[in-house]
Amino acid sequence: MTLHLGDEAPNFQATTTYGVINFHDYLGDSWGLLLSHPADYTPVCTTELGRTAQLSEEFKKRNVKAIAVSVDGVEDHHHWVKDINEVKETKVDFPLIADQDRLVSTLYDMIHPNASGTQTVRSVFVIDPQKKIRLTFTYPASTGRNFNEILRVIDALQLTDNYKVATPADWNPGEDVIVSNAIKTEDAVKQFPKGVNEVKPYLRYTPDPGTNK
Ligand code: BEZ
């Protein structure tokens, strides 16, 4: 099944390193970050899961719960987590789904047969508190994901949910954002008291309304 932005994230029940969980119940009112990993005891995945754990406080600040999936069993997951904690000097504090029957991988289209018939690619799903899929991206097994980019895009999603703005290319929190084209400039100056810079009638910047600067 192809999943599109705005679709409800399919629910599932799965065995994980935290016991059997219902995905939607696990997410509760939080945002979700669902990451697929090709296989246990693989080097790139080890660095990625370690990085996710190291960013635990950053995810908490953004009300995001991480969860990872790999097609190996839960016993392997538990042993591998010990390795990850050791080599990345961290503590994996989120569940790893044991997807030996590939139910979750199939539900989320994480196996791309022309890349590998058995392992998942590196999929990322960001899911909002209403369980809507808000972002997907897919990397090949040989390329580790950029976790600063994952945080950046979560910041952009949360900002644009709260203000009538969009974020320009290469935006980072604290930098100017683009005023929504649905707002007339005369209204924009009232809505954005930090100021509006009209470069073109369709391209108006305002300082990041999500920061106190
Ligand atoms: C890795 O995680 O290191 C990896 C997994 C599958 C293929 C290539 C690399």
Side-chain angles (χ1 to χ4, degrees), residues 65-78:
K65 282 187 176 174
I67 184 165
V69 55
S70 145
V71 295
D72 294 300
V74 77
E75 282 312 310
D76 276 329
H77 282 2
H78 281 299

PDB file of all heavy atoms in Angstrom, residues 65-78:
ATOM      1  N   LYS A  65       7.739  10.791  20.085  1.00  0.00           N
ATOM      2  CA  LYS A  65       8.134   9.457  20.542  1.00  0.00           C
ATOM      3  C   LYS A  65       8.710   8.689  19.357  1.00  0.00           C
ATOM      4  O   LYS A  65       8.040   8.552  18.321  1.00  0.00           O
ATOM      5  CB  LYS A  65       6.917   8.689  21.065  1.00  0.00           C
ATOM      6  CG  LYS A  65       6.488   9.093  22.456  1.00  0.00           C
ATOM      7  CD  LYS A  65       5.397   8.144  22.915  1.00  0.00           C
ATOM      8  CE  LYS A  65       4.981   8.406  24.328  1.00  0.00           C
ATOM      9  NZ  LYS A  65       3.814   7.563  24.692  1.00  0.00           N
ATOM     10  N   ALA A  66       9.907   8.172  19.525  1.00  0.00           N
ATOM     11  CA  ALA A  66      10.541   7.379  18.454  1.00  0.00           C
ATOM     12  C   ALA A  66      10.166   5.913  18.610  1.00  0.00           C
ATOM     13  O   ALA A  66       9.870   5.439  19.717  1.00  0.00           O
ATOM     14  CB  ALA A  66      12.055   7.543  18.523  1.00  0.00           C
ATOM     15  N   ILE A  67      10.184   5.217  17.492  1.00  0.00           N
ATOM     16  CA  ILE A  67      10.013   3.758  17.491  1.00  0.00           C
ATOM     17  C   ILE A  67      10.697   3.241  16.224  1.00  0.00           C
ATOM     18  O   ILE A  67      10.593   3.873  15.165  1.00  0.00           O
ATOM     19  CB  ILE A  67       8.518   3.362  17.572  1.00  0.00           C
ATOM     20  CG1 ILE A  67       8.375   1.836  17.658  1.00  0.00           C
ATOM     21  CG2 ILE A  67       7.701   3.939  16.440  1.00  0.00           C
ATOM     22  CD1 ILE A  67       6.975   1.394  18.112  1.00  0.00           C
ATOM     23  N   ALA A  68      11.427   2.138  16.357  1.00  0.00           N
ATOM     24  CA  ALA A  68      12.181   1.621  15.212  1.00  0.00           C
ATOM     25  C   ALA A  68      11.697   0.220  14.878  1.00  0.00           C
ATOM     26  O   ALA A  68      11.159  -0.483  15.737  1.00  0.00           O
ATOM     27  CB  ALA A  68      13.670   1.596  15.549  1.00  0.00           C
ATOM     28  N   VAL A  69      11.894  -0.160  13.636  1.00  0.00           N
ATOM     29  CA  VAL A  69      11.481  -1.494  13.194  1.00  0.00           C
ATOM     30  C   VAL A  69      12.619  -2.139  12.412  1.00  0.00           C
ATOM     31  O   VAL A  69      13.303  -1.478  11.634  1.00  0.00           O
ATOM     32  CB  VAL A  69      10.172  -1.434  12.347  1.00  0.00           C
ATOM     33  CG1 VAL A  69      10.289  -0.498  11.171  1.00  0.00           C
ATOM     34  CG2 VAL A  69       9.751  -2.817  11.886  1.00  0.00           C
ATOM     35  N   SER A  70      12.836  -3.417  12.688  1.00  0.00           N
ATOM     36  CA  SER A  70      13.765  -4.211  11.883  1.00  0.00           C
ATOM     37  C   SER A  70      13.197  -5.624  11.806  1.00  0.00           C
ATOM     38  O   SER A  70      12.412  -6.042  12.675  1.00  0.00           O
ATOM     39  CB  SER A  70      15.164  -4.160  12.509  1.00  0.00           C
ATOM     40  OG  SER A  70      15.852  -5.367  12.357  1.00  0.00           O
ATOM     41  N   VAL A  71      13.580  -6.347  10.755  1.00  0.00           N
ATOM     42  CA  VAL A  71      12.926  -7.632  10.477  1.00  0.00           C
ATOM     43  C   VAL A  71      13.517  -8.796  11.279  1.00  0.00           C
ATOM     44  O   VAL A  71      13.270  -9.955  10.962  1.00  0.00           O
ATOM     45  CB  VAL A  71      12.959  -7.964   8.964  1.00  0.00           C
ATOM     46  CG1 VAL A  71      12.146  -6.959   8.171  1.00  0.00           C
ATOM     47  CG2 VAL A  71      14.395  -8.019   8.447  1.00  0.00           C
ATOM     48  N   ASP A  72      14.282  -8.487  12.320  1.00  0.00           N
ATOM     49  CA  ASP A  72      14.828  -9.538  13.181  1.00  0.00           C
ATOM     50  C   ASP A  72      13.959  -9.710  14.429  1.00  0.00           C
ATOM     51  O   ASP A  72      13.026  -8.937  14.676  1.00  0.00           O
ATOM     52  CB  ASP A  72      16.278  -9.209  13.543  1.00  0.00           C
ATOM     53  CG  ASP A  72      17.161  -9.268  12.298  1.00  0.00           C
ATOM     54  OD1 ASP A  72      17.225 -10.348  11.674  1.00  0.00           O
ATOM     55  OD2 ASP A  72      17.722  -8.233  11.930  1.00  0.00           O
ATOM     56  N   GLY A  73      14.316 -10.751  15.221  1.00  0.00           N
ATOM     57  CA  GLY A  73      13.497 -11.107  16.376  1.00  0.00           C
ATOM     58  C   GLY A  73      13.839 -10.303  17.616  1.00  0.00           C
ATOM     59  O   GLY A  73      14.876  -9.629  17.688  1.00  0.00           O
ATOM     60  N   VAL A  74      12.982 -10.415  18.622  1.00  0.00           N
ATOM     61  CA  VAL A  74      13.126  -9.550  19.793  1.00  0.00           C
ATOM     62  C   VAL A  74      14.358  -9.907  20.625  1.00  0.00           C
ATOM     63  O   VAL A  74      14.977  -9.025  21.238  1.00  0.00           O
ATOM     64  CB  VAL A  74      11.806  -9.537  20.607  1.00  0.00           C
ATOM     65  CG1 VAL A  74      11.626 -10.810  21.424  1.00  0.00           C
ATOM     66  CG2 VAL A  74      11.706  -8.310  21.482  1.00  0.00           C
ATOM     67  N   GLU A  75      14.751 -11.198  20.631  1.00  0.00           N
ATOM     68  CA  GLU A  75      15.958 -11.567  21.392  1.00  0.00           C
ATOM     69  C   GLU A  75      17.187 -10.903  20.785  1.00  0.00           C
ATOM     70  O   GLU A  75      18.043 -10.372  21.501  1.00  0.00           O
ATOM     71  CB  GLU A  75      16.140 -13.101  21.410  1.00  0.00           C
ATOM     72  CG  GLU A  75      15.234 -13.809  22.394  1.00  0.00           C
ATOM     73  CD  GLU A  75      15.241 -13.152  23.781  1.00  0.00           C
ATOM     74  OE1 GLU A  75      16.345 -12.917  24.314  1.00  0.00           O
ATOM     75  OE2 GLU A  75      14.160 -12.850  24.313  1.00  0.00           O
ATOM     76  N   ASP A  76      17.276 -10.954  19.458  1.00  0.00           N
ATOM     77  CA  ASP A  76      18.383 -10.257  18.781  1.00  0.00           C
ATOM     78  C   ASP A  76      18.338  -8.757  19.078  1.00  0.00           C
ATOM     79  O   ASP A  76      19.369  -8.126  19.322  1.00  0.00           O
ATOM     80  CB  ASP A  76      18.301 -10.478  17.261  1.00  0.00           C
ATOM     81  CG  ASP A  76      18.945 -11.794  16.839  1.00  0.00           C
ATOM     82  OD1 ASP A  76      19.908 -12.211  17.512  1.00  0.00           O
ATOM     83  OD2 ASP A  76      18.469 -12.397  15.870  1.00  0.00           O
ATOM     84  N   HIS A  77      17.135  -8.199  19.048  1.00  0.00           N
ATOM     85  CA  HIS A  77      17.005  -6.756  19.322  1.00  0.00           C
ATOM     86  C   HIS A  77      17.599  -6.420  20.693  1.00  0.00           C
ATOM     87  O   HIS A  77      18.340  -5.452  20.853  1.00  0.00           O
ATOM     88  CB  HIS A  77      15.538  -6.338  19.311  1.00  0.00           C
ATOM     89  CG  HIS A  77      14.925  -6.177  17.937  1.00  0.00           C
ATOM     90  ND1 HIS A  77      15.582  -6.422  16.773  1.00  0.00           N
ATOM     91  CD2 HIS A  77      13.673  -5.762  17.588  1.00  0.00           C
ATOM     92  CE1 HIS A  77      14.766  -6.171  15.741  1.00  0.00           C
ATOM     93  NE2 HIS A  77      13.600  -5.773  16.217  1.00  0.00           N
ATOM     94  N   HIS A  78      17.242  -7.240  21.711  1.00  0.00           N
ATOM     95  CA  HIS A  78      17.725  -6.953  23.070  1.00  0.00           C
ATOM     96  C   HIS A  78      19.251  -7.003  23.131  1.00  0.00           C
ATOM     97  O   HIS A  78      19.880  -6.139  23.740  1.00  0.00           O
ATOM     98  CB  HIS A  78      17.121  -7.948  24.074  1.00  0.00           C
ATOM     99  CG  HIS A  78      15.710  -7.615  24.468  1.00  0.00           C
ATOM    100  ND1 HIS A  78      15.369  -6.430  25.106  1.00  0.00           N
ATOM    101  CD2 HIS A  78      14.557  -8.305  24.335  1.00  0.00           C
ATOM    102  CE1 HIS A  78      14.061  -6.416  25.330  1.00  0.00           C
ATOM    103  NE2 HIS A  78      13.543  -7.541  24.869  1.00  0.00           N
TER     104      HIS A  78
END
